[in-house]
Amino acid sequence: MSAIVNLRVFRNFQQFVSFRPISNYPTSLNKNIGVQNVEDDDFRVLELGPNKPNNMRGNRRKTAYKKTPVHPPRSNKMPVDQDWPSVWPVARVFHPASVPLPLHQGWVEPGTTPPGKFANAELMKIPNFLHLTPPAIQRQCEALKKFCTEWPKELNTDEKIDHHFPIQITTSDYLHSSPTIRDARARIVTLQVKLSTLHLNSHAKDKLLRLVKERYDPVNDILTIVSERCPLRKQNIDYAIYLLNVLVSESWKTEPWENEKSEADMEKYVWEGSQSQRTLQQLLERMPDKATDLPEVIEQYSVNVTRFHNEGEDTENVNAYKESVIKLLGLNA
């Protein structure tokens, strides 16, 4: 049994030892690598490539580079009477060679001259308006005239304009140095209209003033509505007009409980239908001699009485009420 095992081991070992892969085909390693045939005792030198003494760095031919000539700035050759809109037709970054102006920009120590226009980053960062010179604007306006209509000759005064166009809408555009041209403040819209152009009666006007509160200016009779809750300007314009329509329509509505209000329930004194008006009519009916300017006196008396009740008692209102009563009764002061 032991002899058989040894034989098997020996056979396996013999097979292992005798296995040697030999290739008769040429390879890249055999091409590029040459081994010197020297004796076994000497150190064999491995050469990775052929020896080329002629390709040394010292023997290489240097390449001559030709420098590009630098031309003088274009601004030195510009005539005085040149067509500037053709030189700078649109908005662009500042270019010093195209601007025949001795510009300086930048912070320096006091007493020294700021940096010039060449290689000046400060002039390139800020936006310029060199494309919006007066000749350029005039040329653009002349080109846009054919798309415009003439201003109506009938609208030659501000009163006529306010009569035909009572609503005034104000918007704002912002220009600044930024990666985007959009500004959140540009969406804000201001709508202004004179309250007298809405043609409201006393009931509708009183109700409208209670709804708008401080948005009404009694000095110039202007109602102001500011809209900024929508993201776009067009949306805010539509929303402001919608608010004006809702305010007017709600002001004209009369609730059932409003007809039950008496004079004591009124928020302010109203001359029409008041007890003072009825008393004055009864007094005038019993008067034998009436003045010729009685309607004007009655109108002045009603205004003074209304101011006396609504604004309170002060020296001016009391004196005005006294004068109107004297004129009404025909007494001598």
Side-chain angles (χ1 to χ4, degrees):
M1 186 68 179
S2 61
I4 297 173
V5 172
N6 293 333
L7 180 59
R8 290 178 179 177
V9 171
F10 180 75
R11 286 180 178 178
N12 295 336
F13 180 74
Q14 186 179 6
Q15 293 176 0
F16 176 78
V17 173
S18 62
F19 178 77
R20 290 180 298 173
I22 299 175
S23 177
N24 296 326
Y25 298 98
T27 60
S28 60
L29 184 61
N30 295 330
K31 285 184 178 180
N32 300 331
I33 301 176
V35 182
Q36 294 180 358
N37 295 327
V38 295
E39 297 182 359
D40 297 338
D41 296 339
D42 297 337
F43 182 77
R44 294 181 295 180
V45 179
L46 178 63
E47 295 182 0
L48 300 178
N51 188 11
K52 296 181 180 180
N54 295 329
N55 292 338
M56 300 300 293
R57 181 175 298 178
N59 298 330
R60 292 180 182 177
R61 185 177 180 180
K62 296 182 179 180
T63 305
Y65 296 97
K66 187 177 181 180
K67 295 184 179 180
T68 305
V70 179
H71 298 282
R74 179 186 173 189
S75 58
N76 297 342
K77 301 179 180 179
M78 288 184 176
V80 180
D81 56 347
Q82 66 176 342
D83 186 14
W84 178 251
S86 300
V87 179
W88 206 284
V90 295
R92 55 172 293 192
V93 182
F94 180 80
H95 193 274
S98 301
V99 181
L101 298 174
L103 301 179
H104 297 270
Q105 178 77 16
W107 184 89
V108 293
E109 294 292 338
T112 58
T113 305
K117 61 180 180 179
F118 291 96
N120 194 330
E122 298 297 330
L123 286 173
M124 293 186 290
K125 288 191 298 183
I126 61 175
N128 59 77
F129 295 91
L130 296 175
H131 63 290
L132 295 178
T133 56
I137 296 176
Q138 184 178 2
R139 183 177 303 179
Q140 295 176 7
C141 293
E142 293 294 335
L144 294 174
K145 270 187 178 181
K146 59 183 179 180
F147 302 104
C148 302
T149 57
E150 296 183 0
W151 183 262
K153 298 180 179 179
E154 292 76 11
L155 301 178
N156 51 7
T157 60
D158 294 340
E159 292 75 12
K160 293 182 180 179
I161 295 176
D162 294 338
H163 175 72
H164 294 282
F165 303 96
I167 299 178
Q168 179 180 357
I169 297 178
T170 306
T171 59
S172 301
D173 294 320
Y174 298 88
L175 177 64
H176 50 80
S177 179
S178 175
T180 177
I181 61 175
R182 299 187 179 275
D183 195 292
R185 297 171 294 177
R187 76 184 194 280
I188 302 176
V189 174
T190 303
L191 185 147
Q192 292 182 333
V193 59
K194 284 191 174 183
L195 201 62
S196 58
T197 59
L198 300 178
H199 305 290
L200 303 174
N201 57 14
S202 58
H203 170 266
K205 182 178 179 180
D206 179 70
K207 197 170 184 179
L208 179 66
L209 295 180
R210 295 179 184 276
L211 291 174
V212 299
K213 296 181 180 179
E214 70 278 356
R215 297 175 180 85
Y216 173 72
D217 188 3
V219 177
N220 49 19
D221 191 36
I222 290 180
L223 172 63
T224 304
I225 299 176
V226 180
S227 176
E228 58 180 346
R229 64 174 56 192
C230 299
L232 300 180
R233 176 186 296 178
K234 181 62 170 60
Q235 295 174 343
N236 284 314
I237 293 176
D238 296 339
Y239 182 67
I241 296 176
Y242 164 76
L243 288 179
L244 181 61
N245 293 331
V246 171
L247 287 172
V248 174
S249 61
E250 289 294 329
S251 300
W252 281 103
K253 290 182 180 179
T254 303
E255 301 296 336
W257 55 268
E258 295 184 24
N259 298 326
E260 301 176 359
K261 295 174 63 175
S262 61
E263 184 178 354
D265 299 329
M266 295 294 179
E267 292 81 4
K268 64 178 183 179
Y269 182 81
V270 180
W271 170 259
E272 290 77 8
S274 63
Q275 182 62 36
S276 299
Q277 185 182 18
R278 294 192 296 267
T279 303
L280 179 60
Q281 292 177 355
Q282 296 175 4
L283 178 61
L284 294 177
E285 291 176 357
R286 295 194 300 266
M287 291 180 61
D289 299 331
K290 298 180 181 180
T292 57
D293 57 346
L294 186 60
E296 299 178 0
V297 176
I298 295 176
E299 180 67 22
Q300 186 65 28
Y301 175 77
S302 63
V303 172
N304 293 331
V305 171
T306 304
R307 290 179 55 188
F308 185 84
H309 285 280
N310 294 332
E311 299 180 5
E313 299 182 9
D314 55 10
T315 306
E316 181 180 359
N317 292 337
V318 170
N319 292 334
Y321 176 72
K322 173 185 174 181
E323 295 295 332
S324 60
V325 171
I326 293 175
K327 291 181 180 180
L328 181 63
L329 298 179
L331 302 178
N332 296 325

